[in-house]
Amino acid sequence: MKLTRRNFIRTASGALAFVSSTAALTRAGLAQAEPIRIASILDATGGLNSYSLKQIKSTAMAVEELNQSGGLLGRPIELVFYDSQSNNQLNSQYATQALVKDKVHVVMGGITSSSREVMRPVMQKFRGLYFYNSVYEGGVCDRRHVCTGLVPGQQVAPLVEYIVKEKGLKRGYILAADYNYGQIIAKWMQKFIRANGGEDVGIEFFPLDATNFAPVLSRIQETKPDVVWSALVGDAQMGFYRQYEATIGKKTIPLASTTYGLGRENATLSADENDGVVISTSFIDSLPSEAAADFLKRFKAFSGEDDYVSEYGEYGYRGVMLWAVAVRKAGSPNPDDVIKALGGTTFEGAGGTYTIDGQTNHTTMDVHVAVGNRTGGFDLVKSFSQQPPSDTQAVCDLNANPDDTKQYEPEL
Amino acid sequence: MIVTIIYLVMYSIALLTLISLGLAVIFGLMKVINLAHGEFIMLGAYVCVLCTDAGLPLWLAFLAAFVGVGLFGIVVERLLIRFLYGRIIDTLLATWGLSLFMVGIITTVFGPQARSVPLSFGNVQMGGMSFSSYNFVLMAVAALMIAVTWAILRYTTFGLIVRGTMQRADMASALGVNRNMVYMTTFGYGAALAGLAGAVLAPMTGASPNMGQFFISKAFVTVIVGGQLPLTGTISASGLFGVIDGSVSYFWSSIVGEVSTLVAAVMLLRLLPSGITGKMRSGL
């Protein structure tokens, strides 16, 4: 292999070395056709990479499966990987490079809301199509942007319903990371808690490098809430779960979270620390379905890893597959053709049925409430079938305003 | 409530002391600014993770981190720092490079995922509140670090030689002191303190390649505000910031606590540009 920059990046990223190998493409009879290109921009390194590592591999796995089954529209798929190194500046740089220089047909990736917000304008400028495979605070109304992950209307509403209504834990203390995701998700938590007859007795934000949680642990004990809500993010804030268990304990005050498990906290923390955290998610490894078991088996064979895959691991696969369905439907990989075909695009994935909602370019999916167990995983408690992205639907209509590019914030 | 505030303030002081004493020793005694200090802490955390994974008791893991990172510090001093004495900007660049190198090496060897040390100390009840027992271990280690450093510098011949060398290196040399040896040992001791801090923090914060960044800015502010005397400076600056951070974080929020600490630091540096102990001629 000639050591061009792209080959180097592909080799260095490890997972992708054999994705577009000539042998595999010849086997599938695709070597002659002009490839369709996918850019994957994720953090293989840096402080936020715990969210990306599995997703990088599942994205590559989806591309390999598509190529082995004959490619898309008779053309092979070429994956170009860019390591954004947990640095938003690189997200913007690589998104531009992907569209302008490498001429990709779709850009997948970005984890944080800030990384998404630097890439969206690039999509507008160069008429690209962007799949954001991540949980976020909702409200983005942009036809060049597709979110395949959970938004608050899907994620927070079922979790609050379970905790406040079914469990009767009415008084909640909210903790969140201090950036746009945390600030907005905290507002949604307040809204849903109040709407279900609960009360938010405290709310607090933490910088992403916070390591000392002793003051808030004292305040929580004095406020005596029924439940603590967490939307904490990143390696530093993972320390909260350790300190919480060592000080208060989930047996005394239960803990519910919208972010726990996304960074594979469950696979890193101890049995005591994982035991009992209540989450809502669109995928857990222990989902009792054929599709989930089969996905895990294929992921293990592809990546050679048999540890916890997580929701973010599954997102990479889901994003590529949903896009592929839309491409087949459109009969063309060109962004503007695919965008027209997005509405109603459906894929039967590992977490259930995913359907892109044409009004918002967000995804309707099953939502599962689960509880952390002592073996580093989660036990399914309850599934909510086909939850629509209701919060974003309330503010966004791309059919009526196709030129909208705004992110709407909830007014609460 | 009084108990809670005292606890939070003591805990804040202990955390600041823990993360900044190693940096203060190296800066105060050698005038070397070690930008890889955060990564020395990170290395200590990894030593602690590896030792507890191997089944060693926690106190032995602390000791291993102290000794291991200390030896690593000596190697760094021999290979890197000793060529750069008196060249502050060059040491800054060299140690910054070293920090990037260490993050890279640790990521390559142990992977980017955070690692954990299972914590099974439980909690203690006081006045209807629970406090993590481990936080008292952390406070004890911080106090021990201060006491041992003070005892070494104050009561041992080695401490005397170190202090003499730092005041007048040429005179110490003329009296037959091996200056290189003193520098090397001091740097090693500073690194060892950072390693111990990392090991003590690991059960609370875990160990990840980037964890140095969580502590480095707080450690720097403490050392700069403390000024040139490593012990008096660290104790007074940690004490001041600990009181502000601990009480403000309790009454308002962690963010307001952090902001008011930094505001206090800026005001203090305006009044005392060379730090709290900047004008003191002698002392520790």
Side-chain angles (χ1 to χ4, degrees):
Chain A
M1 185 162 73
K2 203 167 98 232
L3 197 66
T4 60
R5 180 192 49 79
R6 186 177 302 143
N7 283 336
F8 175 75
I9 291 171
R10 188 184 293 146
T11 314
S13 74
L16 314 172
F18 53 98
V19 166
S20 313
S21 70
T22 333
L25 295 178
T26 319
R27 261 204 316 278
L30 295 169
Q32 276 79 40
E34 167 74 16
I36 296 174
R37 293 177 172 196
I38 299 186
S40 168
I41 307 181
L42 288 165
D43 308 321
T45 53
L48 293 169
N49 65 359
S50 50
Y51 296 93
S52 282
L53 293 169
K54 296 284 178 189
Q55 194 171 121
I56 290 171
K57 292 186 174 143
S58 71
T59 306
M61 169 175 140
V63 169
E64 189 187 67
E65 285 186 9
L66 286 172
N67 277 332
Q68 278 172 352
S69 64
L72 266 182
L73 311 173
R75 292 162 68 176
I77 303 170
E78 185 181 301
L79 179 65
V80 191
F81 177 73
Y82 309 81
D83 178 6
S84 43
Q85 299 170 29
S86 310
N87 176 349
N88 291 341
Q89 203 184 331
L90 289 174
N91 279 98
S92 139
Q93 182 189 324
Y94 286 144
T96 311
Q97 186 181 332
L99 291 179
V100 176
K101 183 156 173 284
D102 298 333
K103 306 233 182 293
V104 302
H105 295 92
V106 66
V107 174
M108 301 261 160
I111 294 291
T112 60
S113 292
S114 44
S115 72
R116 177 196 69 240
E117 288 307 298
V118 298
M119 293 203 278
R120 278 205 304 125
V122 178
M123 300 301 138
Q124 292 299 332
K125 197 168 165 192
F126 301 109
R127 299 171 185 283
L129 170 60
Y130 170 44
F131 271 62
Y132 176 52
N133 308 310
S134 181
V135 167
Y136 88 108
E137 68 282 355
V140 170
C141 193
D142 182 342
R143 68 197 178 97
R144 298 196 174 276
H145 156 275
V146 181
C147 175
T148 61
L150 288 165
V151 289
Q154 297 166 297
Q155 195 195 13
V156 182
L159 188 61
V160 171
E161 195 186 311
Y162 175 74
I163 294 284
V164 177
K165 272 210 169 143
E166 280 190 33
K167 290 273 164 185
L169 303 171
K170 291 197 187 307
R171 304 175 75 239
Y173 201 112
I174 301 170
L175 311 175
D178 193 18
Y179 71 110
N180 53 356
Y181 171 76
Q183 294 273 357
I184 296 176
I185 205 84
K187 283 189 189 173
W188 282 108
M189 284 178 174
Q190 280 182 310
K191 183 186 157 92
F192 287 120
I193 289 172
R194 287 174 193 172
N196 279 280
E199 187 189 350
D200 49 298
V201 292
I203 183 161
E204 196 165 325
F205 299 98
F206 296 90
L208 285 170
D209 63 351
T211 50
N212 177 8
F213 294 95
V216 72
L217 288 172
S218 298
R219 258 198 311 281
I220 289 174
Q221 295 187 59
E222 284 177 0
T223 319
K224 298 193 172 53
D226 299 331
V227 59
V228 172
W229 297 89
S230 148
L232 297 172
V233 172
D235 277 356
Q237 298 191 351
M238 203 191 293
F240 170 79
Y241 301 105
R242 299 186 177 97
Q243 294 172 39
Y244 189 82
E245 203 49 40
T247 310
I248 301 175
K250 289 182 287 292
K251 293 212 166 59
T252 314
I253 305 175
L255 193 66
S257 175
T258 56
T259 48
Y260 186 87
L262 297 177
R264 299 172 72 254
E265 285 86 348
N266 52 311
T268 306
L269 295 172
S270 74
D272 280 334
E273 288 152 357
N274 186 51
D275 189 18
V277 187
V278 187
I279 62 163
S280 60
T281 172
S282 62
F283 179 77
I284 49 174
D285 285 20
S286 53
L287 220 51
S289 74
E290 195 77 8
D294 190 48
F295 170 76
L296 292 179
K297 207 174 81 194
R298 281 178 290 137
F299 185 83
K300 189 179 162 186
F302 177 80
S303 67
E305 298 167 345
D306 59 357
D307 52 344
Y308 194 80
V309 177
S310 82
E311 182 174 24
Y312 269 23
E314 198 267 343
Y315 275 174
Y317 186 82
R318 166 197 308 196
V320 173
M321 288 307 185
L322 270 169
W323 168 79
V325 172
V327 169
R328 287 203 180 105
K329 218 166 118 188
S332 149
N334 294 330
D336 284 352
D337 299 328
V338 179
I339 287 169
K340 287 194 195 98
L342 283 172
T345 293
T346 287
F347 176 67
E348 291 293 332
T353 306
Y354 311 128
T355 307
I356 298 179
D357 164 50
Q359 183 196 327
T360 58
N361 278 5
H362 283 60
T363 307
T364 298
M365 64 190 102
D366 293 346
V367 175
H368 313 283
V369 172
V371 179
N373 59 29
R374 298 195 63 84
T375 53
F378 297 96
D379 297 329
L380 181 66
V381 173
K382 191 176 179 182
S383 290
F384 293 75
S385 179
Q386 295 300 298
Q387 298 289 302
S390 54
D391 56 309
T392 308
Q393 281 172 338
V395 289
C396 171
D397 189 350
L398 286 169
N399 298 326
N401 310 304
D403 293 331
D404 203 347
T405 57
K406 238 179 103 173
Q407 178 175 12
Y408 294 90
E409 281 192 30
E411 286 167 19
L412 306 168
Chain B
M1 196 177 87
I2 295 294
V3 177
T4 312
I5 293 174
I6 293 174
Y7 158 80
L8 288 176
V9 165
M10 294 304 290
Y11 181 61
S12 253
I13 295 176
L15 273 180
L16 286 172
T17 307
L18 208 57
I19 60 175
S20 46
L21 189 61
L23 187 67
V25 164
I26 292 174
F27 172 70
L29 296 176
M30 306 169 69
K31 300 291 170 287
V32 165
I33 297 176
N34 177 20
L35 276 183
H37 178 70
E39 280 61 40
F40 283 24
I41 293 179
M42 178 266 287
L43 202 61
Y46 270 93
V47 172
C48 182
V49 167
L50 293 181
C51 288
T52 46
D53 277 0
L56 295 182
L58 200 56
W59 66 270
L60 215 57
F62 290 175
L63 194 67
F66 182 82
V67 174
V69 180
L71 290 176
F72 178 76
I74 287 176
V75 172
V76 167
E77 200 273 345
R78 284 292 94 184
L79 294 179
L80 197 67
I81 310 291
R82 71 179 167 126
F83 305 108
L84 303 169
Y85 284 121
R87 293 154 60 185
I88 288 205
I89 300 293
D90 296 347
T91 40
L92 273 179
L93 281 175
T95 49
W96 186 45
L98 176 68
S99 79
L100 297 177
F101 173 77
M102 286 171 71
V103 171
I105 286 286
I106 292 289
T107 312
T108 312
V109 176
F110 296 107
Q113 274 276 344
R115 305 274 294 261
S116 278
V117 178
L119 181 62
S120 49
F121 277 77
N123 50 31
V124 286
Q125 306 284 332
M126 263 191 283
M129 299 276 282
S130 313
F131 302 100
S132 167
S133 316
Y134 187 74
N135 290 0
F136 296 101
V137 174
L138 191 143
M139 291 183 210
V141 174
L144 192 72
M145 273 167 53
I146 292 274
V148 168
T149 307
W150 181 74
I152 289 176
L153 289 176
R154 179 70 182 75
Y155 289 114
T156 64
T157 318
F158 173 73
L160 189 69
I161 290 172
V162 168
R163 284 186 287 153
T165 312
M166 300 316 151
Q167 279 177 10
R168 282 292 297 272
D170 51 350
M171 186 62 80
S173 289
L175 291 170
V177 169
N178 184 346
R179 200 164 63 171
N180 289 338
M181 205 59 190
V182 173
Y183 283 144
M184 185 183 86
T185 322
T186 311
F187 195 87
Y189 182 66
L193 289 176
L196 176 61
V200 175
L201 288 166
M204 276 175 46
T205 60
S208 57
N210 300 292
M211 70 181 283
Q213 293 165 12
F214 308 153
F215 304 108
I216 189 76
S217 56
K218 290 189 186 87
F220 264 98
V221 172
T222 311
V223 170
I224 300 300
V225 168
Q228 59 171 354
L229 299 182
L231 278 177
T232 322
T234 308
I235 294 170
S236 52
S238 306
L240 178 75
F241 293 148
V243 169
I244 297 175
D245 185 52
S247 50
V248 173
S249 297
Y250 176 69
F251 286 114
W252 283 275
S253 73
S254 295
I255 291 204
V256 182
E258 201 156 294
V259 170
S260 33
T261 315
L262 291 173
V263 169
V266 170
M267 286 185 344
L268 250 177
L269 286 176
R270 179 72 188 78
L271 299 172
L272 301 165
S274 47
I276 297 171
T277 61
K279 289 268 162 41
M280 297 183 192
R281 283 289 174 76
S282 60
L284 290 172

